[in-house]
Amino acid sequence: MILDGKCPTGPIEKTWDKHRFDMKLVNPANKRKYKVLVVGTGLAGGAAAASLGELGYNVEAFCYQDSPRRAHSIAAQGGINAAKNYPNDGDSIYRLFYDTIKGGDFRAREADVWRLAQVSNNIIDQCVAQGVPFARDYAGYLDNRSFGGAQVSRTFYARGQTGQQLLLGAYSALARQIKAGTVKMFPRTEMLDLIVVDGEAKGITVRDLVTGEIRSHVGDAVVLCTGGYVNVFYLSTNAMGCSVTAAWKAHKKGAFFANPCYTQIHPTCIPQHGDKQSKLTLMSESLRNDGRCWAPKKKGDKRAPGEIPEEERDYYLERKYPSFGNLAPRDIASRAAKEQCDDDRGVGPGGRGVYLDFAASIKRLGEDTIRERYGNLFEMYEKITDENAYKVPMRIYPAPHYSMGGLWVDYNCESNVPGLFVLGEANFSVHGANRLGASALMQGLADGYFVIPYTIANYLARTTPGKVKADNAECKKSVEDVNNNLKKLMSINGKKTVSEFHRELGRIMWENVGMARSEQSCKEALKKIPALREEFWKNVKVSGSGAQFNQDLENAGRVADFLEFAELLTRDALYRNESCGGHFRVEHQMPDGEAKRDDENFCHAAAWEFKGVNAEPELHIEPLKFENVHLAIRSYK
Amino acid sequence: MNLTLHVWRQNGPKDPGKFEVYEAKNVSPDESFLEMLDEVNEELIKAGKEPIAFDHDCREGICGMCSQVINGIPHGGLERTTVCQLHMRMFKNGDTIYIEPWRARAFPVVKDLVVDRSALDTIIQAGGYTSAHTGGVADGNAIMIPKPEADYAMDAAECIGCGACVAGCPNGSAMLFTSAKVSQLAVLPQGKAEAARRVNEMTGALQECGFGNCTNHYECQAACPKGINVKFIATLNREYLKSMF
């Protein structure tokens, strides 16, 4: 099946404005007759719930955390892009659009990316109006900094806590609507199923994480904003609760999953310290503004960094990519770091690390300036590693960070299941095969504040409010299915803990489907994953009961879904017989080791249809057309 | 290293609760405190016992979810550090560690170390926002904000809403939390129009939620993992007084 992304036609600059005009509207007096269920309340979900509530819809919002303020968007530190051109360095909506298409290695839709670039400017204004304390200069104007993958300074920031401040902005807008009664908030509530009635998404089944109660909520549309799935690798920069569960349940109910093998490996994480580790911590990419990456030239050089003289250091990013240098995009910087380590020139315990050195910047700007710019990051680094990065270079290594794949959506952010909308990291739309820095916050807020309020109206205007009631047979069946699944998990009473299974799955995924993959490694993983899944359902041990607060059971459900999803991710990686973005198939590389794309055969989104847990999924293709930015080899040299 | 843990176990808000003793063995100094607890939990699960329930999520010190009183001090007493960023190198082989939930009237225990902090959301819902509508706002540079004001707002905005200030306060007061939001918005031009109403409604909510009052112990500042300064409580009081005229 050829999928239709429903992109507006005509000159790219007019697409979003034209589309906004063409879409149907819902009369203000009718809006309150509709109920919208928003799942996840991070940047995308919080912004969507607040905006839809403010418009007058009845909104019910759900999150698994104890408060919407804890969504993992909060941890994005570096900044948010916008094409304001305040620094007068040549930025424009077109340039942001161009950089994003190219940065995504030509695997994103042009129209979606154009819209993102266009509304990016509104986002900054919106957040300023909410009281987000963006950095300002002494005159009082907004300050900017540069970020990976761009040669202009277009990144707006709030110290090293931009994600936190933007999320708190959306959270406060949401709080205002909760007070006004337009949004009903359900914290500590996890979505465990999607309810589809007559082919349309009309509700969700949730578990109250405090009481264990399983119940359905019905509405006129469902908006999923549930973030990414890279915890499939076990160790990642995601929060512990981040899971694929909501998206996966929607997939099992018919929503296509697009490009699941596109995962971003972030270049600047603190290296792993041991096998008991639960989580990796990201250091903001903005550090590469002033930090220089290097590795010793000599193999197996175990000297302290200070004892390695200048001429025996390889500033490999500056050497290989002179025009972007240390600000090369994430996939390039990640792969380059891995190359150094694979070549036995890595540093730190286990040799899985490279240096990020601030000595030159401290000499040029002074320690105070560096402290002003990155103080909190240096503090965090010291807490974790016990090293003072003002004195010795930081050690960094790539780690799974962000998912570019996700549920397939059209230009309206609507999945192939009518009434099911997917926003932010949970959808696949704008990043292509790779994500540039400071663009995730941008997408979350663009979708939540400036896309869904318009596009959902176009759906709701064509649907009768309250079509499905709570006593619908599909709701009952869904509650029953969820209950049975939980009972099954509780009844196995095997020998291995949920975390043991998760760690094992993570190892299979990182080794075979991580930064570098081959046909052979993917096939290897496709043998191991179903075997592990089978063992899970025979030998997992979940403690406590389902009718109470039970974190072990929550975790078991999430890992069970990862065990199914991992197989789809691997199949997609195997199918995509090319290298692009952070996705690197070792069979496809340029003579100099750069990723080699195959535009003839793979210039499309691969969207998979669920056909059963042990059955092969069906592939659907959405061809991608590049009419404004012409397909070209991505070069940062 | 090997450690002895005294952990507060409580089945629900009505359960009396008590300390249970566990051994944590072969703990690596590079682990975080929560990773140490993860391992204790793995052992408990394997032994057929219920693991210790505790709140945690980002494990990067920013989401504000983790909440444990360790040896009598919220977040364990290392300056400007959340539990998830507390590392085991701070402890010695043979140490005994007491782990308890946040204790405050406004934070009922959900289970073990997990408490219900929704009262903090109630305070924000009372007025911790600017009433900006989505879309149609002015350009971000249309209203200039001098750097000192922006920095002051940012200092206040760093609050992660973990509730350690409440747990540390002998009165169970949430004044530091509330003052941070009031101060952030009161100093910015965008927040000034509603400043009087905001401070009134937020302090009203404080009382309704069952938080105590501030009597200048400064324990909140000592407990705060983000180093939020008590000067914001002075700003809160000033804003409150101003709102009367």
Side-chain angles (χ1 to χ4, degrees):
Chain A
M1 183 171 123
I2 301 290
L3 282 170
D4 180 8
K6 296 188 188 143
C7 296
T9 49
I12 192 89
E13 298 81 0
K14 303 258 169 66
T15 41
W16 176 230
D17 298 329
K18 175 173 176 284
H19 191 70
R20 265 201 305 182
F21 184 78
D22 289 344
M23 279 185 296
K24 290 187 187 329
L25 300 171
V26 178
N27 163 350
N30 285 339
K31 286 195 176 110
R32 59 178 169 269
K33 294 177 185 160
Y34 290 98
K35 192 199 272 181
V36 181
L37 310 176
V38 179
V39 187
T41 46
L43 280 182
S51 304
L52 294 172
E54 190 185 298
L55 282 169
Y57 296 107
N58 277 303
V59 178
E60 288 185 357
F62 305 82
C63 69
Y64 73 80
Q65 299 92 340
D66 73 331
S67 162
R69 71 177 295 143
R70 316 230 188 266
H72 197 55
S73 314
I74 203 155
Q77 303 156 336
I80 178 166
N81 285 339
K84 290 274 198 187
N85 196 30
Y86 288 156
N88 191 31
D89 54 3
D91 203 5
S92 62
I93 292 171
Y94 195 91
R95 191 177 292 278
L96 177 51
F97 160 73
Y98 175 89
D99 287 349
T100 307
I101 289 283
K102 179 183 161 206
D105 222 346
F106 299 91
R107 291 294 178 265
R109 269 192 215 121
E110 279 195 338
D112 295 46
V113 175
W114 175 271
R115 176 174 65 194
L116 178 75
Q118 182 178 340
V119 305
S120 68
N121 290 340
N122 303 79
I123 296 171
I124 304 302
D125 301 337
Q126 185 65 31
C127 296
V128 168
Q130 287 169 345
V132 169
F134 281 121
R136 300 262 173 172
D137 62 20
Y138 276 96
Y141 292 111
L142 287 155
D143 201 9
N144 290 101
R145 63 181 170 203
S146 47
F147 232 72
Q151 286 171 314
V152 291
S153 284
R154 62 160 72 102
T155 305
F156 293 77
Y157 65 102
R159 264 183 218 154
Q161 287 114 301
T162 317
Q164 180 200 20
Q165 295 311 319
L166 298 178
L167 179 72
L168 293 181
Y171 161 77
S172 62
L174 181 60
R176 175 170 163 247
Q177 295 307 316
I178 294 171
K179 178 74 181 297
T182 62
V183 178
K184 193 154 189 268
M185 185 68 219
F186 296 86
R188 289 204 199 270
T189 305
E190 186 171 18
M191 169 179 159
L192 293 180
D193 198 17
L194 177 74
I195 296 166
V196 178
V197 181
D198 298 328
E200 292 183 272
K202 292 292 171 193
I204 58 171
T205 298
V206 298
R207 179 167 182 268
D208 180 320
L209 300 183
V210 177
T211 64
E213 185 200 358
I214 308 293
R215 60 170 192 268
S216 292
H217 289 252
V218 292
D220 299 294
V222 177
V223 185
L224 290 191
C225 314
T226 51
Y229 50 72
V230 295
N231 274 352
V232 70
F233 291 102
Y234 184 65
L235 279 183
S236 87
T237 65
N238 281 14
M240 302 299 284
C242 292
S243 75
V244 76
T245 289
W248 188 247
K249 301 297 189 189
H251 177 61
K252 287 175 100 168
K253 284 292 177 80
F256 295 169
F257 215 115
N259 303 338
C261 79
Y262 286 166
T263 58
Q264 178 173 69
I265 313 289
H266 195 289
T268 48
C269 290
I270 301 176
Q272 192 181 346
H273 61 65
D275 54 4
K276 290 175 172 177
Q277 198 158 342
S278 61
K279 156 94 193 184
L280 294 171
T281 303
L282 179 75
M283 301 300 293
S284 170
E285 191 179 24
S286 62
L287 288 168
R288 288 194 282 133
N289 270 319
D290 288 307
R292 301 176 70 195
C293 294
W294 65 273
K297 280 184 180 162
K298 208 161 70 191
K299 285 190 185 195
D301 193 338
K302 294 288 172 234
R303 286 177 292 174
E307 291 165 18
I308 302 178
E310 203 60 32
E311 60 276 12
E312 290 180 46
R313 300 173 174 193
D314 180 12
Y315 293 91
Y316 56 89
L317 285 176
E318 296 166 35
R319 170 174 60 81
K320 291 172 75 170
Y321 309 100
S323 61
F324 279 72
N326 292 297
L327 286 174
R330 293 179 174 183
D331 62 319
I332 305 246
S334 293
R335 207 158 41 244
K338 184 170 183 285
E339 265 171 33
Q340 308 304 312
C341 299
D342 290 350
D343 202 23
D344 197 21
R345 291 184 295 112
V347 300
R352 298 270 115 189
V354 292
Y355 289 123
L356 181 62
D357 198 338
F358 289 85
S361 299
I362 290 173
K363 205 169 157 197
R364 191 176 72 245
L365 303 163
E367 197 172 307
D368 286 346
T369 306
I370 296 298
R371 196 180 304 276
E372 165 112 334
R373 286 185 190 167
Y374 315 106
N376 66 317
L377 298 169
F378 278 59
E379 262 176 50
M380 189 170 85
Y381 182 79
E382 186 164 5
K383 268 176 198 154
I384 294 172
T385 63
D386 210 18
E387 287 176 2
N388 179 349
Y390 295 105
K391 306 279 176 239
V392 294
M394 283 184 182
R395 287 173 295 111
I396 53 164
Y397 193 68
H401 178 52
Y402 191 93
S403 347
M404 265 82 55
L407 293 178
W408 183 87
V409 290
D410 64 17
Y411 187 69
N412 294 322
C413 287
E414 189 174 13
S415 73
N416 59 305
V417 177
L420 176 67
F421 293 80
V422 190
L423 313 184
E425 191 181 355
N427 77 26
F428 89 111
S429 76
V430 291
H431 299 305
N434 184 46
R435 185 171 75 73
L436 296 180
S439 63
L441 299 176
M442 181 169 64
Q443 188 204 354
L445 290 180
D447 288 359
Y449 285 134
F450 298 112
V451 177
I452 193 72
Y454 303 107
T455 61
I456 203 168
N458 193 45
Y459 168 76
L460 292 173
R462 289 177 283 118
T463 188
T464 320
K467 251 200 251 177
V468 174
K469 303 282 182 283
D471 59 357
N472 189 285
E474 285 297 327
C475 298
K476 282 187 193 153
K477 185 174 175 300
S478 172
V479 168
E480 218 175 278
D481 290 347
V482 168
N483 265 321
N484 287 342
N485 197 44
L486 293 176
K487 269 187 207 142
K488 201 170 152 199
L489 278 172
M490 304 293 316
S491 69
I492 299 164
N493 202 20
K495 296 243 179 326
K496 270 164 77 171
T497 64
V498 174
S499 302
E500 282 175 317
F501 280 104
H502 198 174
R503 277 195 289 268
E504 213 166 312
L505 175 67
R507 261 196 305 275
I508 296 173
M509 296 307 287
W510 180 247
E511 278 165 21
N512 297 295
V513 209
M515 280 179 74
R517 312 141 177 193
S518 65
E519 184 181 341
Q520 195 199 348
S521 76
C522 289
K523 285 185 170 161
E524 181 76 17
L526 283 176
K527 266 188 239 150
K528 287 181 171 166
I529 298 163
L532 186 65
R533 186 167 63 230
E534 198 179 327
E535 194 202 338
F536 177 88
W537 286 103
K538 279 184 188 144
N539 196 28
V540 72
K541 187 176 183 66
V542 185
S543 60
S545 88
Q548 56 163 190
F549 186 85
N550 186 342
Q551 293 169 316
D552 200 22
L553 178 62
E554 291 169 27
N555 205 11
R558 293 169 194 158
V559 172
D561 290 330
F562 276 134
L563 280 163
E564 293 177 6
F565 168 72
E567 192 175 328
L568 182 73
L569 189 159
T570 310
R571 275 183 196 284
D572 188 49
L574 177 63
Y575 160 77
R576 192 161 282 276
N577 210 355
E578 65 164 350
S579 294
C580 66
H583 153 98
F584 194 69
R585 276 283 291 269
V586 295
E587 301 96 324
H588 303 282
Q589 45 183 308
M590 303 289 196
D592 61 356
E594 300 293 334
K596 191 174 168 196
R597 268 192 351 243
D598 176 356
D599 289 332
E600 206 164 305
N601 295 303
F602 290 98
C603 192
H604 59 241
W608 301 90
E609 181 181 356
F610 183 76
K611 291 286 181 186
V613 172
N614 284 310
E616 273 201 37
E618 188 182 340
L619 176 66
H620 304 276
I621 300 253
E622 184 200 341
L624 296 170
K625 287 191 212 83
F626 292 90
E627 290 164 350
N628 296 279
V629 186
H630 294 294
L631 283 163
I633 292 173
R634 217 166 134 239
S635 169
Y636 291 89
K637 294 198 165 164
Chain B
M1 60 182 124
N2 297 317
L3 306 160
T4 305
L5 310 180
H6 293 252
V7 184
W8 186 260
R9 302 303 303 261
Q10 184 172 348
N11 248 326
K14 294 201 176 97
D15 187 83
K18 61 175 191 306
F19 280 104
E20 298 259 5
V21 183
Y22 305 100
E23 301 296 321
K25 296 205 172 90
N26 301 319
V27 175
S28 148
D30 289 332
E31 281 175 61
S32 72
F33 197 82
L34 299 185
E35 283 164 351
M36 182 274 295
L37 279 182
D38 287 342
E39 280 175 53
V40 171
N41 273 346
E42 291 277 287
E43 294 304 317
L44 287 174
I45 293 168
K46 283 187 174 166
K49 293 179 186 153
E50 265 196 49
I52 304 156
F54 61 93
D55 263 334
H56 64 102
D57 204 18
C58 79
R59 297 203 175 185
E60 300 184 15
I62 190 73
C63 77
M65 189 96 167
C66 57
S67 47
Q68 294 170 24
V69 175
I70 297 163
N71 290 337
I73 308 171
H75 291 301
L78 187 63
E79 210 182 317
R80 296 179 63 122
T81 306
T82 53
V83 182
C84 66
Q85 294 296 292
L86 187 68
H87 281 71
M88 296 313 290
R89 65 179 77 94
M90 305 310 299
F91 297 89
K92 296 190 303 291
N93 187 30
D95 275 359
T96 297
I97 305 174
Y98 283 81
I99 311 173
E100 298 167 76
W102 284 175
R103 294 187 193 278
R105 187 160 53 132
F107 292 163
V109 171
V110 173
K111 190 176 178 175
D112 299 341
L113 306 172
V114 176
V115 300
D116 177 354
R117 285 169 284 185
S118 53
L120 297 181
D121 291 319
T122 307
I123 293 171
I124 297 295
Q125 285 158 21
Y129 43 77
T130 70
S131 297
H133 296 291
T134 306
V137 297
D139 185 273
N141 262 348
I143 304 170
M144 287 184 282
I145 302 170
K147 188 170 178 353
E149 268 84 342
D151 284 349
Y152 181 90
M154 184 62 220
D155 286 345
E158 276 191 50
C159 168
I160 57 173
C162 62
C165 48
V166 179
C169 175
N171 305 336
S173 166
M175 286 278 245
L176 189 67
F177 169 81
T178 311
S179 73
K181 190 49 76 178
V182 165
S183 305
Q184 176 202 340
L185 296 177
V187 74
L188 297 172
Q190 290 81 356
K192 279 202 170 121
E194 296 174 282
R197 192 180 71 172
R198 175 181 309 116
V199 71
N200 262 290
E201 297 194 348
M202 289 180 79
T203 46
L206 266 181
Q207 283 165 348
E208 280 163 34
C209 289
F211 291 103
N213 278 312
C214 172
T215 47
N216 299 318
H217 284 265
Y218 292 9
E219 288 294 331
C220 52
Q221 180 177 301
C224 177
K226 295 295 154 183
I228 305 290
N229 197 296
V230 289
K231 72 182 179 193
F232 296 121
I233 296 183
T235 304
L236 172 78
N237 290 332
R238 206 158 47 239
E239 287 293 319
Y240 186 74
L241 275 175
K242 258 164 61 185
S243 77
M244 293 171 159
F245 299 99

